[in-house]
Amino acid sequence: MNSSPATAGAAKTQARAAMSALAWSRTRDGWLMVIVVVLGTILFDLSPIVMSFITSFTDWNAVTLPKFNGLDNYRALVQDKTFLLTVKNTIYYTAAHVPLAMAAGLGLALLVNRKIRGINIFRAAFFIPVIASTVAVGIIWKWVLGGYGGLLNSTLAMVGIKGPDWLASTTWAMPAVILVSVWQSMGYNMIIYLAGLQNVPQELYEAASIDGAGKRQQFWKITLPMLSPVTFFLSIMSFISSFQAFGLIFMMTSGGPANSTNVYIYYVYESAFSFFKAGYASAMAWILFVVIAGITLIQWKLSKRWVHYQ
Amino acid sequence: MKRLFAGLLAGLLVISLSACGGNQTTAPAPASGTQPSTAPAPAEKITIRWLNSDDPKVYGWEKIYPLFKQKHPNIDVEIIHVPNFRAMHDKGKAMMAANDAPDIIRIDDDFVAGYAVRDLLLPLDDLFTKHKFDTKGYHQDFRGWARVNGKQYALPIGMHARALFVNEDMFKAAGVPLPPTKWADPSWKWNDMLNSAKKLSKPDQGIYGVSILNDNGFEETWSRSNGGMGTYAKDGRSLALADDVSIEAYQWLADLIHVHKVHPPYSSYTQMPIVDQFVAGRVAMFMGTNGNINNLRKKIGNKFTWSIRPLPMQKTVMVEGSINTHAIPKNAKNPDAAFLFLKFLTSEESQKIIASTNWAFPVHPEWAEKYYVQPNQAPKNQEVFVEGWKKYFMPVAKTVNDEQVTNLYRRPMQAAWAGEKKVAEILKPIKAEADKLLKEFPDAKLN
């Protein structure tokens, strides 16, 4: 039986309307399911971010009403010697911490990437500093590194070495803090690298062995390139966390001695909570956000040249 | 339909939870009203929160509180104890920002002006009138000191003076004569203390003759002793410790560590507080306040004989005092109850207890004569503190940015205490920036 074009058109319209109603029903239900998260994100994440951006253009002591001061905070930062010093210290900290923590994590991952009895105990032991309280870590290491009867110097003295006053020396305080932070974070890098190592196809190593490649060549030509996505991920995360270093410095040195460990976020904290300058601190926080976003973007762009996905 | 219902329910749950969330945003807290609330009806139970860095055990809290409760049974006091003074202030500010201010906050001479000019404290003058607070007989500095722009912003509950704590047994063992017991004795100047310290020190064994840098009071004391103005000019608007006489005084102190080797390393205090170093016999004398006495009494016991001696003077005699002061934040929820508690702490019955612990001098000088000296308890020569406080006590000038300015010079000065730089190299370049900070709020009447 032949249907007329008008009937076919009406049927098509009806079918389209039924499909739209179904699609709308699914869309609506989907939104209702996620509304909890969306509202929570707006209320607890986005609103404070927007408020802090507005605050960065005010002179505000965090208690009484803020006063709008335009770009004064941003202009003042450029001339603030302490701010510029914290930028320099943060770059120093990041430049040392990131490669050291990643190298240490990779080294540990290579060591524990074995199927031997008890290996999980070592994996857990290396991971414990990651989950330990930063406050506790800071207190313990402050004692270890103390120049006045600290554990490290007492041990060195047994072999005739006079250690420096690690945390009281403007030369040694930052390296000491960096080493403690590497110690605390390398377990995390180890776990991520371990997962990456276990995903490298064994056939590649077998083929390389057949072709006569030694262990070292296999490491540089197979392992590292195959780990490049993991390295990329860890480098981004390490950069971000290094730029926000705070806890260990707060516990171990309070930014001293002589501002040698005074880093960016520590100065943000002091400005906001000690110096009655919440607006100024907000401006610093936004500058940091832009810098971190910029560096992350550069890393993404450069990743095309050296990150190999399977 | 079921899914629609579930989604609506979830949405309602979020909205109701966020309504209960309270202080989750960083929106500024509205300024509180300027008038104190009316006194609570007798039956109304109130709990006031007192943010303090002092350990309640050192000033007789267990005796004071029951007496307060007898007078005000409806008012409970909850102490929020943060042992570190600066950390306590950071916490206080965060609480005020969250509109959850404590009812009383320890302020001290350092910070009153900084908080007052920023309108963070409740002026107490109206409360004085309302609760018939009699200021007659209070120490001469009491009112003048805590007044900013003509208003009273804080109430001292005690005053701390500084002197030398001396381990007499170490002096006897080294054959070194003890320091005198009177202030301004011409035989006790800086070099006399240095010479004694040299004979008492065994740096290779970690034993030192003297410790001064453990107490930041040296900034004021050593500068004034050398004829300087102290940390700040009298009007609180410029940094005086960058002056030549002050620099000379601080370099003299730095040389105690690195040239004469009679002073513990500056970093030692973070590993072993000076009180513990003194108790362990690692330091023969140290500068401290009478606030240390109670703690030392418990730790030393009968281990050795210890006494109080005057600080050495150079050109003038001066005792820097710390005024243990407490204020009511502007957005405190129970200002009247808070004030009744502060009033009680400054009453004779409270001050008698505080004085008997030797923790602080009472705010009435005559009560110090009556109650302070405990002749049957260590240390010997407690009257040295009394003489210093009565004759030579000087509070520090008030400033609007004390915390930021002290941070500006104290941290860099650590390089001098570590022997890496000279004091002049550090302080001279800082002066311009410090003076700029001290000149903020130019219309404020401080001193």
Side-chain angles (χ1 to χ4, degrees), chain B residues 165-184:
Chain B
F165 288 78
V166 163
N167 180 330
E168 292 197 355
D169 291 2
M170 285 178 78
F171 273 73
K172 282 192 188 117
V176 177
L178 285 165
T181 54
K182 286 282 176 199
W183 290 86

Side-chain angles (χ1 to χ4, degrees), chain B residues 25-179:
Chain B
T25 67
T26 58
S32 299
T34 54
Q35 297 301 317
S37 53
T38 54
E44 189 186 342
K45 195 102 173 125
I46 292 172
T47 299
I48 56 172
R49 293 180 304 162
W50 183 19
L51 182 63
N52 200 347
S53 55
D54 290 310
D55 181 352
K57 295 191 203 84
V58 303
Y59 53 83
W61 176 246
E62 69 286 354
K63 291 181 189 162
I64 292 172
Y65 189 47
L67 293 173
F68 174 73
K69 287 294 291 178
Q70 280 172 21
K71 284 200 155 56
H72 302 280
N74 62 311
I75 303 176
D76 288 337
V77 179
E78 178 195 318
I79 296 177
I80 304 171
H81 179 219
V82 180
N84 181 283
F85 184 71
R86 300 257 162 175
M88 180 205 71
H89 275 278
D90 290 349
K91 184 179 175 82
K93 284 171 207 158
M95 290 174 80
M96 286 190 235
N99 206 21
D100 185 37
D103 297 288
I104 303 173
I105 180 169
R106 181 178 166 185
I107 283 283
D108 274 17
D109 42 354
D110 310 78
F111 297 142
V112 169
Y115 276 72
V117 297
R118 290 171 172 89
D119 202 26
L120 300 179
L121 303 179
L122 191 67
L124 302 180
D125 306 84
D126 289 346
L127 289 168
F128 281 13
T129 310
K130 184 175 176 184
H131 296 288
K132 298 183 179 52
F133 185 65
D134 186 5
T135 58
K136 218 187 317 170
Y138 273 80
H139 193 280
Q140 68 205 20
D141 288 319
F142 161 63
R143 268 193 286 183
W145 171 79
R147 287 189 89 73
V148 178
N149 293 331
K151 293 182 189 171
Q152 190 77 32
Y153 280 99
L155 207 57
I157 65 167
M159 301 164 107
H160 305 291
R162 283 168 171 83
L164 273 182
F165 288 78
V166 163
N167 180 330
E168 292 197 355
D169 291 2
M170 285 178 78
F171 273 73
K172 282 192 188 117
V176 177
L178 285 165

Side-chain angles (χ1 to χ4, degrees), chain B residues 57-332:
Chain B
K57 295 191 203 84
V58 303
Y59 53 83
W61 176 246
E62 69 286 354
K63 291 181 189 162
I64 292 172
Y65 189 47
L67 293 173
F68 174 73
K69 287 294 291 178
Q70 280 172 21
K71 284 200 155 56
H72 302 280
N74 62 311
I75 303 176
D76 288 337
V77 179
E78 178 195 318
I79 296 177
I80 304 171
H81 179 219
V82 180
N84 181 283
F85 184 71
R86 300 257 162 175
M88 180 205 71
H89 275 278
D90 290 349
K91 184 179 175 82
K93 284 171 207 158
M95 290 174 80
M96 286 190 235
N99 206 21
D100 185 37
D103 297 288
I104 303 173
I105 180 169
R106 181 178 166 185
I107 283 283
D108 274 17
D109 42 354
D110 310 78
F111 297 142
V112 169
Y115 276 72
V117 297
R118 290 171 172 89
D119 202 26
L120 300 179
L121 303 179
L122 191 67
L124 302 180
D125 306 84
D126 289 346
L127 289 168
F128 281 13
T129 310
K130 184 175 176 184
H131 296 288
K132 298 183 179 52
F133 185 65
D134 186 5
T135 58
K136 218 187 317 170
Y138 273 80
H139 193 280
Q140 68 205 20
D141 288 319
F142 161 63
R143 268 193 286 183
W145 171 79
R147 287 189 89 73
V148 178
N149 293 331
K151 293 182 189 171
Q152 190 77 32
Y153 280 99
L155 207 57
I157 65 167
M159 301 164 107
H160 305 291
R162 283 168 171 83
L164 273 182
F165 288 78
V166 163
N167 180 330
E168 292 197 355
D169 291 2
M170 285 178 78
F171 273 73
K172 282 192 188 117
V176 177
L178 285 165
T181 54
K182 286 282 176 199
W183 290 86
D185 189 311
S187 70
W188 189 237
K189 294 202 169 180
W190 289 2
N191 278 339
D192 300 302
M193 185 182 77
L194 172 58
N195 290 335
S196 296
K198 280 178 179 170
K199 291 173 195 159
L200 290 158
S201 296
K202 292 173 198 161
D204 49 332
Q205 294 175 36
I207 294 172
Y208 298 94
V210 65
S211 173
I212 302 291
L213 297 175
N214 50 276
D215 182 335
N216 286 324
F218 74 82
E219 292 165 4
E220 192 75 10
T221 309
W222 243 253
S223 162
R224 296 230 204 187
S225 175
N226 204 32
M229 279 191 282
T231 317
Y232 305 109
K234 203 170 171 191
D235 64 357
R237 296 296 189 175
S238 67
L239 191 68
L241 59 75
D243 298 347
D244 291 338
V245 286
S246 303
I247 288 174
E248 183 188 46
Y250 304 139
Q251 189 59 53
W252 189 88
L253 287 172
D255 290 346
L256 289 180
I257 304 176
H258 301 288
V259 174
H260 306 294
K261 305 208 191 302
V262 298
H263 189 292
Y266 188 73
S267 60
S268 68
Y269 306 131
T270 54
Q271 288 144 70
M272 195 175 190
I274 188 57
V275 160
D276 294 331
Q277 291 189 46
F278 183 70
V279 171
R282 290 198 185 194
V283 166
M285 46 183 166
F286 78 94
M287 182 173 85
T289 72
N290 50 337
N292 292 124
I293 289 179
N294 217 348
N295 195 10
L296 281 168
R297 207 176 259 153
K298 289 175 192 150
K299 290 189 174 194
I300 294 173
N302 294 321
K303 280 196 197 113
F304 55 82
T305 305
W306 53 299
S307 63
I308 308 300
R309 304 284 165 156
L311 293 164
M313 290 298 134
Q314 192 69 338
K315 294 173 189 163
T316 61
V317 185
M318 180 263 178
V319 172
E320 195 225 333
S322 295
I323 306 179
N324 196 301
T325 312
H326 300 259
I328 300 175
K330 197 152 186 198
N331 53 357

